[in-house]
Amino acid sequence: MRLKIAADIAGAVAYLHSASSVPIYHRDIKSRNILLDEKYVVKVSDFGTSRSVATDQTHLTTVKRSDVYSFGVVLVELLTGQRPISLDKTEEERGLATRFLACMEEECMDTILDPQVREQGRKEEVILVAKLAQRCLHSKGRMRPTMKEVATELESFRISEMSSSVNVESEDVRSFGDMPAMISDTEYTWTNSYKSAFTSSSDTHPLVLYESVS
């Protein structure tokens, strides 16, 4: 289910970047702005800081890669079940992305993975997703993949997962914040046909795993 959620988020953002008539860059991709309904359908919300870019290619690329980095953080949250910022840690260890990249470099990824991911996920698949997150978090924007590439890779992982007939428990994945979801007037819903670009919903909740992960 976490893989499905990740693939759907990536697909939604990739659509905004590449498939819409005018490229749209969200600029505030984070778990609080990823909403799920009762069927785990993903909605990307809060377009208050988004912008359309259709002129300067350098600026376009910079903004696009910024969304990729932010998605990388969300992907790491799905892998680890941890907050993006942990105030109970030392200053240099507070950032989840920094800790994750350090674990990848030191080849100790198991120490940071959510126990559920570590125990129930296929090792090969988890490694592939972790390496993709690592690429999304590259310090140099030009070295990060595009959201279209990210979406394609995650969808291929998902298809591989489905074909392997591995059952993933979903009940522990979705967790809701304590406050009601604040939904902007315009939201994006990813569908296989790519046609239902913007919808509204009153029964959605933010994707915040760590509030229920011990």
Side-chain angles (χ1 to χ4, degrees):
M1 183 57 69
R2 298 189 196 211
L3 182 58
K4 174 194 179 299
I5 291 170
D8 286 352
I9 298 169
V13 181
Y15 178 89
L16 293 175
H17 283 191
S18 307
S20 56
S21 57
V22 177
I24 299 173
Y25 304 103
H26 192 281
R27 305 202 302 172
D28 195 22
I29 300 294
K30 58 186 178 183
S31 53
R32 285 287 183 184
N33 290 337
I34 307 300
L35 308 179
L36 302 176
D37 66 14
E38 71 282 355
K39 295 182 179 179
Y40 299 96
V41 174
V42 166
K43 300 177 185 293
V44 178
S45 71
D46 195 351
F47 285 75
T49 61
S50 64
R51 72 186 318 177
S52 301
V53 181
T55 52
D56 181 67
Q57 185 67 33
T58 301
H59 180 58
L60 182 152
T61 301
T62 300
V63 177
K64 180 186 293 188
R65 304 296 182 171
S66 176
D67 273 359
V68 174
Y69 184 93
S70 297
F71 172 78
V73 175
V74 174
L75 192 54
V76 173
E77 289 181 67
L78 285 165
L79 285 167
T80 66
Q82 297 182 31
R83 298 175 182 272
I85 300 293
S86 298
L87 298 179
D88 59 341
K89 297 184 181 297
T90 63
E91 185 173 350
E92 59 183 26
E93 294 182 334
R94 285 179 181 175
L96 175 60
T98 300
R99 298 200 311 277
F100 173 79
L101 290 174
C103 286
M104 292 296 289
E105 288 292 327
E106 297 167 9
E107 299 184 353
C108 58
M109 185 179 65
D110 282 354
T111 63
I112 198 171
L113 289 177
D114 186 312
Q116 185 181 30
V117 172
R118 188 172 59 246
E119 295 166 9
Q120 298 181 14
R122 288 194 299 159
K123 184 176 181 179
E124 300 82 359
E125 185 176 86
V126 172
I127 291 174
L128 288 173
V129 175
K131 287 184 176 179
L132 178 58
Q134 184 181 33
R135 287 162 51 208
C136 290
L137 296 173
H138 200 288
S139 59
K140 296 180 180 179
R142 67 179 182 275
M143 300 300 293
R144 298 169 197 156
T146 65
M147 281 307 307
K148 186 175 182 180
E149 291 170 337
V150 172
T152 299
E153 288 192 38
L154 285 171
E155 190 60 30
S156 69
F157 299 161
R158 183 181 173 189
I159 291 173
S160 174
E161 169 74 11
M162 292 170 64
S163 65
S164 69
S165 299
V166 175
N167 295 319
V168 179
E169 291 292 333
S170 63
E171 190 62 29
D172 292 334
V173 175
R174 182 181 60 176
S175 59
F176 306 143
D178 295 329
M179 300 298 292
M182 301 299 293
I183 306 173
S184 61
D185 293 334
T186 306
E187 297 175 340
Y188 177 74
T189 299
W190 180 252
T191 66
N192 290 332
S193 64
Y194 309 153
K195 293 180 180 179
S196 301
F198 298 97
T199 65
S200 61
S201 173
S202 60
D203 189 22
T204 55
H205 305 270
L207 170 67
V208 188
L209 280 75
Y210 40 77
E211 290 191 354
S212 67
V213 175
S214 58

